[in-house]
Amino acid sequence: MRSSDPRPGRVIPSWTEPIVAAASRVVGGPLGRHAMVGRAAFWTPLRVVLLLAVVTLALGWFAKSPCLQQYRTPDGQLALDWQNNRQYVAMCYSDTVPLYSIERLDDPTAVPYRDAWTDGSGARRFMEYPVLTGFYQWAAARLTDAWQSLALPSALSVVVYFDIVAVGLALCWLVAVWSVVRLRPARPWDAALVAISPLVAVHAFTNFDALAVALACGGMLAFGRRRPILAGVLLGLGGAAKLYPLLLLLPIVLLAVRRREAAAAVRTVGAAAVVWLAVNLPVALAWPDGWWEFVRLNRTRPADPDSLYYALSYFTGWAGFDGHLGPDQAPNTLNAVSASLLVAACAGLVLLVAKAPRPPRLASLAFLIVAAFLLVNKVWSPQYSLWLVPLAVLALPRWRLLLGWMVLDALVWVPRMFYYVGPADKGLPPDWFLGAVLARDAMVVLLAVLVVRSVLRPDTDPPRTDGDDPDWPVRRASHRVVRSVAVGQSPRNG
């Protein structure tokens, strides 16, 4: 750190991060000692970071655009050009496109969870996503119908649908970026890692996870701003979109016990439970078979190729915990092992909170529980890595390390796509893809170890600028003192 700080309390990345210092040479080098910081009329850190996010999201859309190309069939009809494995060779695959027809979203009369369809094996299937995500898809499909009914430039309905979904997901990611900036007023530029992450460029539009990420980040921001009920509402909605935001309730409870500040945690957990039930209960009561589909699918599906279990099975020849299973036969032993490992990880988190010399930061525990869930789960779909991006930046703001992990994780997409092409069609054998999966898992384990180290040695934790957790709701009086010190004023007594 240079001797003269242009704004006390503000972290200057071009002074503290070698990778930023090197990149700053393109625009004249690191910030000068006498530069005026925080006085820009328009280009504030928030607006710059949001602009970076818009650019990254635009690159993400262009990366998916080859899968939106159309062609005319021999009978003159327009069709989506997924010929010759285009979706894999061009690495533009998105679940959004095939699900539009598979889940009957192209049928205006079909309602998710109420109406079933028959798959290739003759089994009845329903919407396979949690309720909020399912109705997000349905709403986008109905907006597609409205667009197609107007005299506006158009394309195949599935292309219009993808674009409408992408706009909503892009807005969600901007909310996540905004939340990270607001959570770190002394380190606003850390949010640039969330904005420019290669994982965003590759996976923002691979599935619908940005919706849950936005709600989880918004929930953390609301909690840190002393609005526990709003935090619970947002986390409950996040759990209704993708279950992982509910995992963040465990760190909140553990820290509340450690700090002996239970009131905010009780209100947050209570609000989350009420909201989750309010979203799910009507669907579960009206269409129980459709609502249960998400649970049934996750119970019966085997280990996915992205999981640690599948990679170990492939490289060692091990048949897995359940051996060879028939269609729709649940891997009960694998399910039990995965659940047991998650319980063990939760117990480890309890022990870590108890042994830490001071209460850990909420972001650190949130990253650890989500990373543990992904590592021990039997499914790690590629877009799930988006869950970790804001949490990793909040927990461990080390630019070179995080960019290295994000690049590696994003590059797993390449052998994954060519794994689906197959060696017979000039693709890749499984070894490349599964080796990349193991490398990604090892990198996430390394990040988790470093986060644990920062919890056990809080003096090495950069976000603790005032010695406390910036994500935990502090008492109003102490908040004023901390804020006055951050802007270079002398705190007053009385």
Side-chain angles (χ1 to χ4, degrees), residues 328-349:
D328 280 343
Q329 185 179 355
N332 294 319
T333 305
L334 175 59
N335 292 341
V337 169
S338 178
S340 299
L341 290 175
L342 181 59
V343 170
C346 294
L349 205 66

Side-chain angles (χ1 to χ4, degrees), residues 229-243:
I229 294 179
L230 176 60
V233 169
L234 293 173
L235 292 176
L237 289 173
K242 189 76 69 168
L243 289 181

Side-chain angles (χ1 to χ4, degrees), residues 116-362:
W117 65 88
T118 304
D119 65 13
S121 64
R124 293 176 74 237
R125 295 287 186 251
F126 294 88
M127 168 67 71
E128 64 186 51
Y129 287 87
V131 171
L132 196 61
T133 299
F135 279 106
Y136 174 81
Q137 297 174 61
W138 179 82
R142 302 294 69 81
L143 287 174
T144 300
D145 297 338
W147 180 279
Q148 296 291 60
S149 67
L150 300 174
L152 295 171
S154 190
L156 287 170
S157 292
V158 67
V159 175
V160 176
Y161 169 74
F162 174 87
D163 288 337
I164 290 174
V165 167
V167 169
L169 296 177
L171 292 174
C172 288
W173 196 259
L174 291 176
V175 169
V177 173
W178 171 79
S179 299
V180 174
V181 173
R182 293 305 188 195
L183 280 165
R184 292 291 180 271
R187 306 179 60 94
W189 294 108
D190 286 345
L193 291 171
V194 184
I196 66 171
S197 171
L199 283 167
V200 177
V202 175
H203 293 310
F205 309 126
T206 298
N207 202 278
F208 309 95
D209 293 66
L211 176 60
V213 175
L215 291 167
C217 292
M220 291 185 66
L221 177 61
F223 188 79
R225 293 294 187 271
R226 298 174 55 84
R227 302 185 68 181
I229 294 179
L230 176 60
V233 169
L234 293 173
L235 292 176
L237 289 173
K242 189 76 69 168
L243 289 181
Y244 100 88
L246 296 179
L247 293 174
L248 305 187
L249 295 175
L250 176 62
I252 290 175
V253 171
L254 293 179
L255 286 174
V257 173
R258 171 68 191 266
R259 290 173 170 270
R260 299 182 181 178
E261 300 175 11
V266 169
R267 287 196 288 270
T268 299
V269 173
V274 169
V275 169
W276 187 88
L277 285 172
V279 174
N280 283 272
L281 200 56
V283 177
L285 293 177
W287 310 307
D289 290 342
W291 183 85
W292 188 255
E293 180 76 359
F294 171 74
V295 179
R296 185 203 63 78
L297 178 67
N298 283 278
R299 184 178 62 84
T300 58
R301 68 192 301 178
D304 268 15
D306 306 77
S307 69
L308 183 62
Y309 307 103
Y310 189 98
L312 292 177
S313 176
Y314 175 81
F315 285 117
T316 63
W318 172 49
F321 290 107
D322 297 275
H324 298 288
L325 299 170
D328 280 343
Q329 185 179 355
N332 294 319
T333 305
L334 175 59
N335 292 341
V337 169
S338 178
S340 299
L341 290 175
L342 181 59
V343 170
C346 294
L349 205 66
V350 173
L351 183 63
L352 179 64
V353 173
K355 295 294 185 181
R358 65 177 65 170
R361 290 194 296 111
L362 176 59

